[in-house]
C-alpha cells in the first residue's frame, strides 16, 4: 500500500502574519484509511461528488465499496460505480472489467470468464501490504498475473489502463488463464455486464458491435438497502495506444456465459445456454500488446446515453484518449487552492504529519457522496440538479452538511435543490436514496435538519444560489404534516405524531414497520425544531411557535424512574418506549450496548422490539441532544441537575456505553460544554481521536457511512462540533496552531488561532489544550464554549488562549453556555428578512 507523501510548503510571511500554507492538500490524502475490517471506504477514482466511482472489487466479506485492503482476498474485477462507507448489501459494483494474460492453449473458447474462475490475487509489497496506490482521482494496482491496472474518472465515465507484462510471471500457475504452455502473452479483456457484487441482475442485455467492437448493455439490479430495483447501462470502448481508432486491432470477440465464451458471437442470444446469471463480452488483442485503454460510460437512462456520456467527457481524438490528462484533471479538481480541500488550511507547524494527513483525508471522504447524477435521473425530467447516494441522511445530518456549510456552500445548495426537486415529484424529501431508489428510513426524516442547516446559515444567499425559500419550506411542511403510504421509505408516521406527541410502541398502523419508536420520536422532535427555525426566518411566527412546541415532545418519552441495573443511583431517568395510553413499556437501558445481557441488536433487519435504533436507552438519553441538539438544558433538568448530568456522561464513557462506531454517540464527548465543564469535552473528544482514528487501513472505528465519520473526525480535529440547523458551533482547541476556512460565497476567511499551542498530547488527556478565553477580531467574546456563524459569514480572526488547566469554564457572561430552547435560546433571532422573497 503506497500513498503520496505530502508536500507541505512554508510560504513564510503572508499579509504580515506568519502562516504556513499547504499548497497541495490532495497529495496529503490517504485514500486507504478504513478500507478493511468494516470501514467500507471506497479508495478508487472519482471526482468530488462524481457519479462514476471506478475501483477494484475483491471477494472479501466486507466489500460493500468493492475494495478490501486485506491482500488475502482475490480481485474479481474493476467496476464503475460504488458508494463509500455504507452498510447494507454490496452497492453499485456494476460492470466489471477484467484483464487476462491469455487463455489455456491460447484458445478463445477455453478462456475462464466467470468471477469464480478468473479472479486473481494482487502482488504484495515488501511489508506484506498489497501493491495498490491511490491519490484523489486515480487508483492503481499490480496483479499477481503481472498486469498493471490503472483507473481514473470523469463525472459519468471511467478510463482504465491495462498494462501487460512482457513475459509470464512465475508464480500464478494456479490460475487457469495463465497455466498455459504458450510462449507469448495474448491479452484479453473481459467485460462483465451482470456481476454487481451480489448476483442480482435480471433482464440482462449485451451487444458487441462487430465493426467498432463497442460493447453496450445493461440489466436490472437490486438496490442495496431497499426493496427497489434499478436499471443501469454501460458502453465500453477499447483502444490500443498508437491506434486512435477505437477497437482497431482487436483480433477476436465473442459473448460469454459463465465460463463459456463463443467466438464471433455478438450477443448471448446467439448462444444455446439458457441460464443467464453471468454474461458479458470477451475481446482478444494482438499478441504482446503492451497496454490497452478501456473507456467505460455508464447511465441510468440508456446504453445510448452511456455512450454519449463517455464521448462527451473523454472525447475521441487523433492522439487517442488522454489517460494522464483525465488523471491530472481529476487531481486538480480535488486540489485547486480555492476549491474544496484547499479551502480549509491548517498550519502544520508542530503537528505530526499523520495528524495533518488524517485531517485532509477525513475532509476528502466527505466529498465522495452524495453523487451528482444530474441528467441521469430516469424517473422524471427536470433541469434541477439531481443528487443520489444519500446513504443515509440519518448518518450524515449531524456533521456532514455543517462541514459543507463551512467550505462547500455551492455543492450544498445544489444538493438542497436536488432534495427539494425530489419532494416536488415524490411528495416527500429523500432519506436514504441509493441507485435512484428509495431505501429504508432508519429513524426520522433527516432531510428536515439538512434543509434547516442550509437555510439557517444561507437564507440571505438562498435566492442567489437558486434555492427557492418557498419551495424549501413547502418541502419541510410536507414531511411534517402529510403521512406517506410507506413511512419506512419516506416521510414520517406523522398523524400519530401530531395527535399524541410521541410515536407509541403499540400504535399499529399500516404503511411501515412498527419499530424504533423512541428513536423516531426524538428525531421527529429535532426535525420539527429545524422547521421552527426556518419558519422563524420566514417571519411565519405562528408556525415557528407550533414547531418549537412540537420539538419539545422528546420529553414525552422520558421515564424519570428507570435506572441502570446495578448502576449508580445518580443515573436515573431514561428515554423509554411508551404506549398510546400513556403508560411506559420497559427496555433495559443496557440493551444494544456491550453490556447487554441478552446481546440483542437494534438494527433494521433484526427482530427489534425495543423501540431504539442502533443505540441503547442510555446512549439515546444523554445524546438525545444529538438527535435534538436544541435543548440540553431541559435534558440536564430531566436528569436531575448538572452534577447528575456529568456523572452520567462519565459513567457512559468510562463503562463503554459510548459507541464510537455509531452516529448516535457522536456528540457525547462534547456535551460537558452544557455543564460548564468544556475542559472535560476537550479531554474526551481528544481521547476519541487518539483511540479510534488514525491513517492506517484500520483507521476507522466502523463504517465511514458516506462521510459521516470523516466529517466527525474533521470537526474534532478542528476543535469544533456542529449543531445542525442552528448558527452555533461548540468550541474546543484545534489540533493545529491555526486553522482557517475560506467561504467562496461570502468571499471571507475565518481563522481560528490557538495561542500558546504546544502540540497535541498523544493520549489527549494532558497538555496545553484547554480554551481559557476567546477573542474575535481582538474583542473579548462572551463564551469560551461556542462561536456563532456570524464569524464565518463576515470573516474573522478568532483567538483562543490555551492553558494546561482543565478546569476552564464557558465564562461568566449570562450567555456563556451554549443555547438551549427551554432557556430562551433560538427564539429571539433578529433575522434580517430583507431577502427579496
Ligand atoms: C513530514 O513531512 C515532511 C514533508 O514531506 C517531511 O520532510 C518530514 O520528514 C515528515 N516528518 C515525519 C515525522 O514523517
Ligand atoms: C484466491 O483465488 C485462488 C485461485 O482461485 C484460490 O486458490 C484462493 O483460495 C483464493 N483466495 C481466497 C482468500 O479466496
Ligand atoms: C503443457 O505441456 C505439458 C507437456 O507437453 C503437458 O503435459 C501439459 O498438459 C500442458 N498443459 C496445458 C495446460 O496444456
Ligand atoms: C456499429 O458501429 C458502426 C460505427 O459506429 C455503426 O455504423 C453501425 O451501425 C454499428 N452496428 C450496429 C449493428 O449497430
Ligand atoms: C424525458 O424526456 C425525454 C425527451 O423528451 C423523453 O424521451 C423521456 O421519456 C422523458 N423521461 C421521463 C422519465 O419522463
Ligand atoms: C415514577 O415514580 C413516581 C413515584 O413512585 C410515580 O409517582 C410516577 O408515576 C412514576 N412515573 C412513571 C412514568 O412511572
Ligand atoms: C396501556 O396499553 C398497553 C399496551 O397496549 C397495555 O398493556 C396496558 O394494559 C394499558 N394500560 C392501561 C392503564 O390501559
Ligand atoms: C414491550 O417490550 C417488550 C420487550 O422489549 C416487547 O417484547 C413487547 O413487544 C413490548 N410490548 C408492546 C405492546 O409493544
Ligand atoms: C474577495 O476578497 C478579496 C480579499 O478580501 C478581494 O481581493 C477580492 O476582490 C474579493 N473577490 C470578490 C469576487 O469579491
Ligand atoms: C498523556 O500524555 C502526556 C504528554 O503527552 C503525559 O504528560 C501524560 O502523563 C499522559 N497521561 C496519561 C494518563 O498517560
Ligand atoms: C485571556 O487569558 C490571558 C492569559 O491568561 C490573559 O492575558 C488575557 O487577558 C485574557 N483575555 C481576556 C479577554 O480575558
Ligand atoms: C480542578 O478543580 C478540581 C475541583 O475543583 C480541583 O480538585 C483540582 O485541583 C483543579 N485542578 C487544577 C489543575 O486546577
Amino acid at each position: 500500500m503506497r500513498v503520496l507523501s505530502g508536500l507541505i510548503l512554508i510560504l513564510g510571511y503572508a499579509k504580515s502574519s506568519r502562516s504556513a500554507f499547504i499548497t497541495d492538500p490532495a497529495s496529503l490524502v490517504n485514500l486507504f484509511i478504513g478500507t478493511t475490517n468494516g470501514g467500507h471506504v471506497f479508495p478508487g477514482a472519482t471526482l468530488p461528488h462524481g457519479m462514476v466511482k471506478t475501483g477494484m472489487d475483491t471477494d472479501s466479506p466486507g466489500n460493500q465499496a468493492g475494495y478490501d485492503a486485506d491482500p488475502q482476498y482475490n480481485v474479481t474485477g474493476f467496476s464503475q460505480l460504488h458508494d463509500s462507507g455504507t452498510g447494507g448489501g454490496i452497492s453499485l459494483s456494476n460492470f466489471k472489467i477484467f484483464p487476462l494474460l491469455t487463455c489455456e492453449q491460447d484458445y478463445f473458447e477455453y478462456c475462464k470468464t466467470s468471477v469464480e474462475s478468473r479472479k486473481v490475487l494482487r502482488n504484495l509489497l515488501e511489508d506484506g501490504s498489497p501493491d495498490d496506490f491511490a491519490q484523489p482521482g486515480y487508483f492503481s494496482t499490480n496483479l499477481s498475473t503481472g498486469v498493471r491496472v490503472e483507473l481514473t474518472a470523469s463525472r459519468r465515465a471511467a478510463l482504465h489502463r491495462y498494462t501487460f507484462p512482457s513475459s509470464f510471471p512465475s508464480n500464478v500457475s494456479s490460475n487457469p488463464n495463465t497455466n498455459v504452455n504458450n510462449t507469448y502473452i495474448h491479452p484479453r479483456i473481459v467485460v462483465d455486464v451482470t456481476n454487481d457484487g451480489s448476483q442480482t441482475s435480471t433482464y440482462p442485455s449485451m451487444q458487441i458491435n462487430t465493426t467498432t467492437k463497442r460493447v453496450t448493455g445493461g440489466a436490472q439490479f437490486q438496490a442495496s438497502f431497499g426493496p427497489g430495483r434499478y436499471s443501469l447501462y454501460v458502453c465500453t470502448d477499447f483502444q490500443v495506444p498508437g491506434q486512435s481508432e477505437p477497437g482497431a486491432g482487436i483480433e477476436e470477440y465473442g459473448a460469454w456465459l459463465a465460463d463459456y465464451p463463443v467466438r464471433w458471437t455478438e450477443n448471448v442470444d446467439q448462444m444455446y445456454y439458457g441460464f443467464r446469471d453471468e454474461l458479458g463480452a470477451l475481446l482478444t488483442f494482438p499478441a504482446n500488446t503492451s497496454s490497452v485503454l478501456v473507456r467505460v460510460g455508464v447511465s441510468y437512462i440508456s446504453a445510448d446515453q452511456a455512450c454519449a456520456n463517455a464521448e462527451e467527457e473523454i472525447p475521441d481524438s487523433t492522439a487517442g484518449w488522454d489517460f494522464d490528462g483525465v488523471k491530472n484533471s481529476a487531481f486538480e479538481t480535488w486540489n485547486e487552492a480555492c476549491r474544496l480541500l484547499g479551502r480549509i488550511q491548517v498550519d502544520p507547524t508542530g503537528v505530526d504529519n499523520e495528524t495533518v494527513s488524517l485531517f485532509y483525508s477525513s475532509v476528502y471522504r466527505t466529498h465522495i457522496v452524495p453523487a451528482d447524477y444530474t441528467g441521469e435521473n430516469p424517473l422524471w425530467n427536470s433541469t434541477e440538479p439531481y443528487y443520489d447516494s444519500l446513504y443515509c441522511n440519518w448518518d450524515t445530518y449531524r456533521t456532514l452538511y455543517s462541514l459543507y456549510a463551512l467550505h462547500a456552500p455551492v455543492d450544498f445548495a445544489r444538493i438542497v435543490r436536488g432534495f427539494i426537486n425530489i419532494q416536488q415529484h415524490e411528495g416527500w424529501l429523500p432519506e436514504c436514496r441509493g441507485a435512484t431508489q428509495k431505501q429504508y428510513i432508519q429513524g426520522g426524516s433527516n432531510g428536515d435538519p439538512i434543509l434547516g442547516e442550509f437555510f439557517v446559515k444561507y437564507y440571505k444567499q438562498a435566492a442567489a444560489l437558486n434555492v427557492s425559500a418557498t419551495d424549501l419550506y413547502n418541502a419541510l411542511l410536507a414531511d411534517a404534516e402529510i403521512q406517506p403510504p410507506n413511512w419506512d421509505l419516506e416521510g414520517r408516521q406523522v398523524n400519530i405524531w401530531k395527535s399524541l406527541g410521541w410515536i407509541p410502541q403499540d400504535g399499529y398502523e399500516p404503511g411501515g414497520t412498527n419499530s424504533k419508536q423512541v428513536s423516531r420520536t426524538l428525531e421527529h422532535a429535532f426535525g420539527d425544531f429545524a422547521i421552527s427555525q426556518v419558519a422563524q426566518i420566514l417571519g411565519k411566527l405562528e408556525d415557528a411557535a407550533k414547531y418549537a412546541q412540537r420539538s419539545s415532545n422528546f420529553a414525552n418519552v422520558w421515564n424519570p424512574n428507570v435506572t441502570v441495573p446495578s448502576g449508580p443511583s445518580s443515573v436515573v431517568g431514561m428515554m423509554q418506549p411508551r404506549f398510546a395510553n400513556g403508560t411506559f413499556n420497559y427496555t433495559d437501558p443496557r440493551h444494544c450496548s456491550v453490556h447487554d445481557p441478552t446481546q440483542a441488536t437494534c438494527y433494521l433487519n433484526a427482530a427489534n422490539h425495543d423501540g431504539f435504533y442502533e443505540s441503547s436507552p442510555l446512549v439515546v438519553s444523554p445524546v438525545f441532544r444529538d438527535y435534538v441538539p436544541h435543548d440540553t438544558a431541559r435534558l440536564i433538568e430531566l436528569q436531575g441537575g448538572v452534577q447528575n448530568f456529568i456523572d452520567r456522561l462519565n459513567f457512559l464513557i468510562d463503562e463503554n456505553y459510548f459507541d464510537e462506531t455509531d452516529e448516535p454517540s457522536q456528540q457525547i464527548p462534547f456535551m460537558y460544554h452544557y455543564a460548564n465543564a468544556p475542559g472535560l469535552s476537550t479531554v474526551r473528544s481528544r481521547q476519541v481521536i487518539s483511540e479510534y482514528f488514525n491513517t492506517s487501513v484500520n483507521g476507522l472505528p466502523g463504517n465511514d457511512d458516506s462521510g459521516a465519520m470523516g466529517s466527525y473526525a474533521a470537526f474534532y480535529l478542528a476543535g469544533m462540533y456542529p449543531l445542525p440547523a442552528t448558527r452555533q458551533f461548540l468550541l474546543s482547541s484545534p489540533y493545529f496552531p491555526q486553522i482557517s476556512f475560506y467561504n467562496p460565497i461570502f468571499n471571507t476567511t475565518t481563522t481560528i488561532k490557538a495561542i500558546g499551542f504546544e502540540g497535541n498530547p498523544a493520549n489527549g488527556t494532558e497538555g496545553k489544550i484547554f480554551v481559557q478565553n476567546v477573542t474575535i477580531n481582538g474583542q473579548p467574546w462572551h463564551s469560551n464554549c461556542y462561536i456563532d456563524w456570524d464569524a464565518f459569514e463576515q470573516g474573522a480572526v478568532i483567538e483562543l488562549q490555551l492553558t494546561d488547566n482543565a478546569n476552564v469554564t464557558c465564562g461568566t457572561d449570562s450567555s456563556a453556555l451554549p443555547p438551549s430552547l427551554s432557556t430562551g435560546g433560538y427564539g429571539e433571532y433578529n433575522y434580517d428578512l430583507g431577502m427579496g422573497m
Side-chain angles (χ1 to χ4, degrees), residues 660-813:
E660 71 284 355
T661 69
D662 218 350
E663 284 75 11
S665 279
Q666 281 183 334
Q667 195 175 9
I668 288 177
F670 252 93
M671 292 181 73
Y672 297 92
H673 272 57
Y674 291 88
N676 203 21
L680 295 177
S681 299
T682 297
V683 167
R684 296 299 198 176
S685 62
R686 282 173 172 258
Q687 281 171 341
V688 168
I689 293 293
S690 65
E691 284 177 41
Y692 304 115
F693 290 87
N694 60 59
T695 57
S696 78
V697 292
N698 288 309
L700 285 178
N703 295 170
D704 194 49
D705 289 324
S706 299
M709 286 293 166
S711 51
Y712 176 62
F715 270 115
Y716 270 32
L717 292 166
M720 294 162 73
Y721 192 83
L723 306 170
T726 79
R727 289 171 70 89
Q728 279 75 42
F729 292 90
L730 301 182
L731 191 62
S732 178
S733 59
Y735 278 62
F736 312 97
Q738 179 171 312
I739 180 168
S740 62
F741 298 88
Y742 172 72
N743 185 309
I745 294 298
F746 303 140
N747 190 29
T748 57
T749 299
T750 298
T751 300
I752 299 174
K753 293 185 176 181
I755 309 297
F757 181 84
E758 288 176 358
N760 300 302
N763 51 31
T765 59
E766 284 159 66
K768 203 166 177 184
I769 53 172
F770 303 103
V771 178
Q772 183 169 35
N773 62 37
V774 179
T775 64
I776 297 187
N777 295 330
Q779 299 300 308
W781 177 244
H782 59 81
S783 173
N784 303 325
C785 283
Y786 68 95
I787 48 177
D788 278 345
W789 179 246
D790 297 12
F792 295 95
E793 200 170 81
Q794 288 152 22
V797 175
I798 302 171
E799 291 186 297
L800 316 180
Q801 181 66 50
L802 301 186
T803 170
D804 57 8
N805 186 343
N807 286 358
V808 288
T809 68
C810 294
T812 52
D813 193 273

Side-chain angles (χ1 to χ4, degrees), residues 101 145-146 164-170 183-185 288:
L101 274 190
T145 50
F164 293 88
S166 53
S167 61
F168 289 99
S170 53
T183 52
Y184 56 90
I185 308 272
N288 298 325

Side-chain angles (χ1 to χ4, degrees), residues 506 508 579-583:
D506 57 348
Y508 301 109
F579 298 124
N581 63 23
T583 62

Side-chain angles (χ1 to χ4, degrees), residues 377-381:
N377 179 0
L379 304 170
W380 61 85
N381 285 316

Side-chain angles (χ1 to χ4, degrees), residues 59 72-74 116 119 121 174:
D59 62 356
Q72 71 166 303
Y73 296 112
N74 277 293
E116 222 16 64
K119 64 185 186 179
L121 294 168
S174 68

Side-chain angles (χ1 to χ4, degrees), residues 104-105 179-181:
E104 205 169 313
Q105 295 176 30
N179 179 15
V180 292
N181 288 336

